[in-house]
Amino acid sequence: MADVARAAGVSSATVSYVLSGKRPVAPETRAAVEEAIAELSFTVNVTARSLRTGRSSLVALIVPDIVNPFYAQLAATLQEELRERGLHVVVCNTRARRDEEQTLLAEAVQQRFAGVIITPFRLKPRDFAPIVDAGIPVVVSADVSFGPMDLVTPDARAATRRALEQVAAAQRRRIAMIAGPRDATGGDPRLEHLRALALQLGMALPHDMVVRGEHTREAGAAGFAELMSRRHRPDALFCGNDVIAVGAMEKAHELGFDIPGDVALIGHDDASFASLVRPRLTTIRYPAAEVARAAAQLLTERLDGRKVHKTVRVKAEFVARASV
Amino acid sequence: MADVARAAGVSSATVSYVLSGKRPVAPETRAAVEEAIAELSFTVNVTARSLRTGRSSLVALIVPDIVNPFYAQLAATLQEELRERGLHVVVCNTRARRDEEQTLLAEAVQQRFAGVIITPFRLKPRDFAPIVDAGIPVVVSADVSFGPMDLVTPDARAATRRALEQVAAAQRRRIAMIAGPRDATGGDPRLEHLRALALQLGMALPHDMVVRGEHTREAGAAGFAELMSRRHRPDALFCGNDVIAVGAMEKAHELGFDIPGDVALIGHDDASFASLVRPRLTTIRYPAAEVARAAAQLLTERLDGRKVHKTVRVKAEFVARASV
DNA sequence: GTGAAAGCGCTAACAG
DNA sequence: CTGTTAGCGCTTTCAC
């Protein structure tokens, strides 16, 4: 920048102001500076800028499983949205482990990230105290609140209700669920949600019709095998997400159960493979791209100075395919 | 750091040396410093360090499509590997567009990234000149070389041969391929490779049996429809990657073709959904995790001072499933 | 074994 | 409308 200033016959402050536009610069001065910049193919040193201003251009995206297409899509859209505003996305995969979630959060503080967008899995609300105290804007994408931070959360009421209605219309009454692990934060709100709505519709989701496991195909397979070995088998099976659901579906094929003949299967998220499996998976779609846009919006508002925290609800949608 | 120095009654230089271990420090001094660090819960300012040393801890991963599970897995493993060495992965999605690839590469220079790991799609070798000149280590993950840089590349000879042999054993002779777009760099080496091997085995892959398109389900569907509308239909169809292949498979269902009865289908990569579709997709597996580990290794070697460029070959593997 | 001090490249007062 | 200058927090040479 000193070189540019010398070449243009101005001070380095002027070069800085030409770049940032934070104060008016005479047209001919600006022209001279821009020419010098082009001539020397100068680019600002972002590190020096960060050091001086105290804010970096890095945003951490912390998710349980980047290989899950839902999160991959989230990352892709987020990256696109934030790049327009000069921000970069650092992807952090926690593999749903609490220690990694904690480490990553701590590292975001240490690295002075500009912001964090996170889907917590086993974190507790109090784990967020250090990062909030550090003044780093945090957007949580989750079913429940984790404290005084921006939140993007699904509105799945209508979609879940429609799913249950369709199940009921098919004369299915024995509802079951393969939920997330018991020690996940909130103990899987999707389960509580489903149970409450089922009750409203005069159906029940008894505790012995719920099995739990990680958000993996293996857990889905194991859960399916367990539920179908019960004396009273379910005839409609909800899953915590689509990864679990396809695990269950694979197990169904293996054990010779027909879907939806023997049991209907309903997933969550509409991950890209949901429409590829056979039968096509009926699911409660949570639009990753929209979630990403909402999160990007909330984050930039915060960076622009908004003080109070906000919650954005993103509508989930029932996608009827062949598995019900 | 000044605070820590004051609390420990030493100079900030000593604190720095305690942290870096770059020069011996007396045990009791070290203890005092470490206590002060813990007391004040001090963490180094990475930005200041970067400015001073001239190297950041950021590595850009530039890929055509992060939603493709192959690249998602690559990102996940890479992130894991590099985090151990204090490096962070910034994910950059190009959507297979040349302009975005160029922008991202330029940005890596401007941001003074520590390194870049890239799967180029439409870039030309000369596009790499600026970043190489800037002294930023680049690892290319591709089928062909892009110049004097580290390269991770598949060794798919044996796997492709086995695929062709199995096709031949099933008395199939009319081979076709849905390849990548004509303007992709190198014009899809997988096609050239397949053609050469087919020739060796006494089979042919004539030009009119090749259609081209993006690496998308839509392109796969369109390609399948076109090939199957020919007077002489293929009975074995190779695809540039698994995304194309499932697109083709969907179209086959739609048009009432049986796979593998009417036509065998062979993908590339073994993306996670390949084993989920029906019939399960036979594919030439390119192990993303292994590629990531190789790339991480090459990159860190470079950062540690290796001057000459190296090439690592990662063996591809034929995965026989139900679609052949 | 330790300290003093220069300086990485930039931004934002402050001064004109 | 433009320039001067003081740091941001760290690493590293030089001196002791």
Side-chain angles (χ1 to χ4, degrees):
Chain A
M1 194 172 253
D3 294 346
V4 174
R6 207 172 302 115
V10 298
S11 76
S12 70
T14 301
V15 178
S16 174
Y17 286 119
V18 166
L19 254 28
S20 70
K22 288 194 180 170
R23 107 181 165 181
V25 174
E28 54 268 34
T29 315
R30 150 165 283 121
V33 170
E34 278 166 354
E35 190 184 346
I37 287 177
E39 184 66 33
L40 303 170
S41 64
F42 162 87
T43 64
V44 300
N45 181 321
V46 214
T47 309
R49 172 184 287 172
S50 291
L51 177 58
R52 177 58 228 240
T53 62
R55 55 169 116 264
S56 89
S57 66
L58 297 176
V59 173
L61 172 66
I62 305 180
V63 293
D65 179 17
I66 187 68
V67 182
N68 178 336
F70 175 82
Y71 293 113
Q73 181 64 60
L74 191 71
T77 307
L78 199 61
Q79 183 241 332
E80 245 172 73
E81 293 285 318
L82 291 181
R83 194 146 69 86
E84 291 169 10
R85 317 177 202 212
L87 297 169
H88 294 264
V89 176
V90 176
V91 169
C92 308
N93 208 30
T94 65
R95 296 182 290 179
R97 287 174 46 175
R98 176 139 197 254
D99 56 342
E100 300 215 22
E101 291 182 304
Q102 289 174 314
T103 308
L104 257 8
L105 221 45
E107 207 163 336
V109 175
Q110 179 178 354
Q111 294 267 341
R112 275 95 177 149
F113 275 33
V116 170
I117 294 175
I118 181 170
T119 296
F121 198 84
R122 289 187 160 92
L123 285 176
K124 309 287 176 218
R126 68 177 134 71
D127 291 318
F128 288 90
I131 194 161
V132 170
D133 291 349
I136 297 180
V138 177
V139 178
V140 174
S141 168
D143 288 10
V144 294
S145 168
F146 278 74
M149 292 167 291
D150 288 342
L151 178 68
V152 182
T153 194
D155 174 2
R157 185 179 304 269
T160 308
R161 178 186 289 266
R162 285 206 49 209
L164 280 164
E165 285 169 353
Q166 176 155 347
V167 161
Q171 306 303 330
R172 300 176 191 270
R173 285 292 177 280
R174 305 196 54 82
I175 302 175
M177 181 166 188
I178 307 178
R182 186 174 303 277
D183 65 339
T185 310
D188 204 338
R190 289 176 174 183
L191 167 61
E192 307 311 330
H193 194 212
L194 179 66
R195 178 171 280 145
L197 271 170
L199 229 54
Q200 279 184 25
L201 294 176
M203 305 157 99
L205 179 54
H207 286 281
D208 63 344
M209 282 300 229
V210 175
V211 297
R212 294 166 165 283
E214 297 298 313
H215 282 182
T216 61
R217 276 153 77 167
E218 292 71 29
F224 184 87
E226 187 183 334
L227 284 169
M228 298 307 280
S229 70
R230 298 277 163 86
R231 212 156 23 113
H232 294 289
R233 286 177 187 154
D235 55 13
L237 177 54
F238 286 79
C239 296
N241 74 2
D242 289 345
V243 178
I244 295 176
V246 298
M249 191 181 282
E250 287 181 298
K251 198 62 171 186
H253 291 317
E254 189 187 319
L255 299 179
F257 285 104
D258 181 58
I259 291 176
D262 294 316
V263 56
L265 201 58
I266 299 107
H268 252 286
D269 289 347
D270 196 19
S272 56
F273 52 74
S275 59
L276 288 175
V277 296
R278 294 295 142 138
R280 293 177 199 275
L281 182 65
T282 293
T283 192
I284 294 170
R285 174 172 162 74
Y286 189 44
E290 229 174 284
V291 173
R293 277 190 289 271
Q297 176 66 28
L298 286 176
L299 186 68
T300 44
E301 282 176 21
R302 261 293 159 102
L303 293 173
D304 289 349
R306 172 162 56 75
K307 292 290 176 243
V308 295
H309 56 276
K310 261 170 68 173
T311 293
V312 172
R313 297 194 167 274
V314 174
K315 214 169 182 67
E317 179 192 357
F318 178 61
V319 181
R321 295 205 182 95
S323 70
V324 173
Chain B
M1 195 173 253
D3 294 345
V4 174
R6 207 171 304 117
V10 298
S11 76
S12 70
T14 301
V15 178
S16 175
Y17 285 119
V18 167
L19 254 27
S20 71
K22 288 194 181 168
R23 113 180 159 183
V25 175
E28 54 268 36
T29 316
R30 151 165 280 120
V33 169
E34 278 166 353
E35 189 184 348
I37 287 177
E39 182 68 30
L40 303 171
S41 64
F42 162 87
T43 63
V44 300
N45 183 323
V46 213
T47 309
R49 172 183 288 170
S50 291
L51 176 57
R52 176 58 227 242
T53 62
R55 56 167 116 263
S56 89
S57 65
L58 298 176
V59 173
L61 172 67
I62 305 179
V63 293
D65 179 16
I66 188 66
V67 182
N68 179 335
F70 175 81
Y71 293 114
Q73 180 65 60
L74 191 71
T77 307
L78 198 61
Q79 183 240 330
E80 245 171 73
E81 292 286 315
L82 291 181
R83 194 145 70 83
E84 292 169 9
R85 317 178 203 212
L87 297 170
H88 293 265
V89 176
V90 176
V91 169
C92 308
N93 207 31
T94 65
R95 296 182 291 178
R97 288 173 46 174
R98 177 139 197 255
D99 56 342
E100 299 215 22
E101 291 182 304
Q102 287 173 315
T103 308
L104 257 8
L105 220 45
E107 207 162 334
V109 175
Q110 179 178 354
Q111 294 266 342
R112 275 100 177 145
F113 276 32
V116 170
I117 295 174
I118 181 171
T119 297
F121 198 83
R122 289 187 160 90
L123 286 177
K124 309 286 177 217
R126 65 177 136 73
D127 290 318
F128 288 90
I131 194 161
V132 170
D133 290 350
I136 297 179
V138 177
V139 178
V140 173
S141 168
D143 288 10
V144 294
S145 168
F146 278 74
M149 292 167 292
D150 287 342
L151 178 68
V152 182
T153 196
D155 174 1
R157 184 178 305 268
T160 308
R161 177 186 290 267
R162 286 208 47 210
L164 281 164
E165 284 169 355
Q166 176 155 349
V167 161
Q171 308 302 328
R172 300 178 191 268
R173 283 293 175 278
R174 306 195 54 82
I175 300 175
M177 180 165 189
I178 307 178
R182 186 174 304 277
D183 65 339
T185 311
D188 204 337
R190 289 177 175 183
L191 166 62
E192 306 312 328
H193 194 213
L194 179 66
R195 179 171 279 143
L197 272 169
L199 228 55
Q200 281 185 24
L201 294 175
M203 306 157 98
L205 178 55
H207 286 280
D208 63 345
M209 282 301 226
V210 174
V211 298
R212 294 166 164 282
E214 298 299 314
H215 282 183
T216 61
R217 276 154 76 169
E218 292 71 29
F224 184 86
E226 186 183 335
L227 284 168
M228 297 307 279
S229 69
R230 298 274 164 85
R231 213 156 22 112
H232 294 288
R233 288 178 185 151
D235 55 13
L237 176 54
F238 286 79
C239 296
N241 74 3
D242 288 346
V243 178
I244 295 176
V246 298
M249 191 180 282
E250 288 181 297
K251 198 62 172 184
H253 291 318
E254 188 187 320
L255 299 179
F257 286 104
D258 181 60
I259 290 176
D262 294 316
V263 56
L265 201 58
I266 299 106
H268 252 286
D269 290 346
D270 196 20
S272 56
F273 53 74
S275 59
L276 288 175
V277 296
R278 294 293 140 136
R280 291 176 201 278
L281 183 65
T282 293
T283 192
I284 294 169
R285 173 172 162 75
Y286 188 45
E290 227 174 285
V291 173
R293 277 189 290 270
Q297 177 66 28
L298 287 176
L299 186 68
T300 44
E301 282 176 21
R302 263 292 160 104
L303 292 173
D304 289 349
R306 172 162 56 75
K307 292 288 177 241
V308 294
H309 56 276
K310 261 170 66 172
T311 292
V312 172
R313 298 196 165 272
V314 174
K315 213 167 184 66
E317 180 193 355
F318 178 62
V319 180
R321 296 206 183 96
S323 70
V324 173

